[in-house]
Structures are given as C-alpha cells and as structure tokens.
Amino acid sequence: MRAWIAAVGWAGIGAVCLGAGPQAADLNLKSGQAVAFLGDSITQQGVRPGGYVSLVGAGLKAAGYDVTIIGAGISGHKSDNMLERVDRDVIGKKPDWMLLSCGVNDVGHGPRGVPLDAYKTNIAAIVGKAQAAGIRVMILTATVLSENLESEGNRKLSAYNEFLRSLAKEKGCLLADLNADFRTLLQAKMSPENLLTTDGVHMNERGNQVMARGVLRAFGLDEAQMGRVEEAWLDLPGTCDWSPSL
C-alpha cells in the first residue's frame, strides 16, 4: 500500500476540486452554519460512523468549522426522486449549504433509470430551487458503477458527470470532482480486489475517506487544515489509517 500511494502521488487527489485554501473564507463557510447532503444510498450510508458525511462533519470541526450536518440520502433514489423531495428534505430545513450527490442510480438502474436529458432537467431544477432559497450549492460528481473503469456503466456515467461539471461552472457552484479522484486512484491500483468500494458502488473505509477529502478540498481547506483533519480521523470509529503519510 505504501508503494501504491507513492506511485499515485497523493497531493494530486482532490486538486481538481477547486481546492484553493482561501476559498472557504471567501465563501463565508462559518461555524454555526448547516450543511445538507442530498443523495442516494451512498449518502444515506455516509452518515454512519466512518461514512463520508460523518467524516466531512468531523473534518470541518477539526479545521475550525463547527457546523450542523443534515443527512438527506435515501437508498435507490434518482434525480427525479430527489427533485420531488428537495423542498421537504433540504430547503424546508433552511441549511446554508446543499451538497448534491446524484447519478449512480440514474445510470445504474438501466431501463428504470433516468435518461441523460431528463437527468439534466432534474438536476438543474434541484440546483435552481436551492439557489433561489439562498442556499449555496456544491455538486459532487458521481463516483463509479464498478471498479472496472471500462465497464458499460462507467462509460455511460461519464456523460452525466460532464454535465455536472458544466452545470457547476454555469451556476457558480462548488465542484467536488469525486469521479476524477476515483479514476486517478483506480487507474493505479495494483490488485483486482475492490480498493474503494464494497461492491463496485458503495463505499468501504477508503472510499469514504476519498469522498470526504474531495468535499473538504472543494470547500477550500488548505494543507495545514487537512493535516488536522487526518489526525482527527484517526480517533474516529469506522476509519482506517489510510492517509498521505502512508
């Protein structure tokens, strides 16, 4: 594992996520604010100890931001489901931030999924509703549908992620490009066994940490803050010692 981390070059992970240190201050991320996570089963599981949502909350606290976390992930949900409930599960709770993670089920459910054109309409509407309510938005690109990056699902998912990147730029949202982070790591993995997921989709301990790092860097945490985050995570249940120091 040490050699693998060295080969990847950890400093590059999360660098695509608008990771300039001053951005957190510029964007008025303050203690006392509330951060809502809208998503599917990955986000629903993410509120558990060691999950990416919990790690983001603990990481922000370690970096000096004491925020309230609102979990709004429901297993199996797609963009149409999230659009139907965003008023109730996010906007009605009056958070300062909404983090949107959506796309894995829209593609992965096949014929029961959501075609790209409808997905674009749904996601744009979700973002528009949040911004109209004065909620700042961070868009998370969808991770993977298999650790085989050449799978049909991952090839189809790429168009959905390209839309998310363009929408984030168009609407002035923060972007946590988790798909790019996952691809960087999976392209360098040295074993056919799952590295970041339990089943090709849902996160294991390492996958949750990669997601959380991407989100925190998108918020603008600098290297000194991330160092405090890594130290704080070591004391949490459900996390493994898998850090840049390995």
Side-chain angles (χ1 to χ4, degrees):
M1 183 63 74
R2 292 173 185 270
W4 181 81
I5 289 289
V8 170
W10 191 271
I13 303 304
V16 293
C17 301
L18 305 184
Q23 285 200 1
D26 293 345
L27 290 163
N28 298 314
L29 178 64
K30 299 176 181 178
S31 291
Q33 291 189 327
V35 182
F37 291 74
L38 180 63
D40 49 34
S41 58
I42 295 172
T43 298
Q44 185 178 37
Q45 294 177 11
V47 301
R48 300 173 182 172
Y52 89 92
V53 176
S54 294
L55 291 176
V56 168
L60 288 173
K61 185 174 182 179
Y65 303 96
D66 192 4
V67 303
T68 298
I69 297 296
I70 300 170
I74 296 181
S75 180
H77 272 205
K78 304 181 288 290
S79 59
D80 52 353
N81 306 118
M82 295 184 205
L83 177 57
E84 289 173 358
R85 64 184 178 88
V86 66
D87 289 311
R88 180 193 72 219
D89 291 350
V90 176
I91 295 172
K93 297 184 179 180
K94 302 185 184 302
D96 300 279
W97 292 87
M98 179 184 75
L99 276 61
L100 175 61
S101 176
C102 181
V104 166
N105 291 330
D106 295 75
V107 174
H109 284 190
R112 297 180 294 107
V114 177
L116 181 58
D117 285 347
Y119 175 83
K120 290 179 178 180
T121 299
N122 294 338
I123 295 296
I126 292 170
V127 171
K129 279 175 168 283
Q131 291 184 329
I135 299 168
R136 299 182 184 225
V137 177
M138 180 191 294
I139 294 175
L140 283 56
T141 54
T143 47
V144 291
L145 281 165
S146 163
E147 294 206 1
N148 171 12
L149 296 177
E150 300 305 316
S151 70
E152 180 181 354
N154 282 326
R155 289 198 300 270
K156 186 175 180 180
L157 190 63
S158 64
Y160 289 66
N161 280 327
E162 281 304 313
F163 165 71
L164 294 178
R165 295 179 184 109
S166 64
L167 183 69
K169 183 176 181 179
E170 175 188 344
K171 298 298 184 181
C173 304
L174 290 185
L175 175 70
D177 200 343
L178 305 183
N179 182 266
D181 291 349
F182 269 57
R183 284 184 166 274
T184 297
L185 293 167
L186 291 174
Q187 285 167 355
K189 77 173 184 176
M190 298 178 178
S191 167
E193 297 180 1
N194 281 341
L195 176 71
L196 303 175
T197 68
T198 59
D199 56 5
V201 176
H202 300 94
M203 300 303 118
N204 62 20
E205 293 176 343
R206 292 185 293 268
N208 276 307
Q209 289 184 37
V210 172
M211 290 188 71
R213 286 187 183 99
V215 168
L216 292 171
R217 290 189 182 280
F219 267 129
L221 270 63
D222 60 26
E223 290 304 316
Q225 290 172 313
M226 288 303 298
R228 294 196 292 274
V229 168
E230 301 286 349
E231 291 178 4
W233 282 353
L234 293 177
D235 296 328
L236 298 177
T239 57
C240 59
D241 186 4
W242 198 64
S243 69
S245 62
L246 290 176

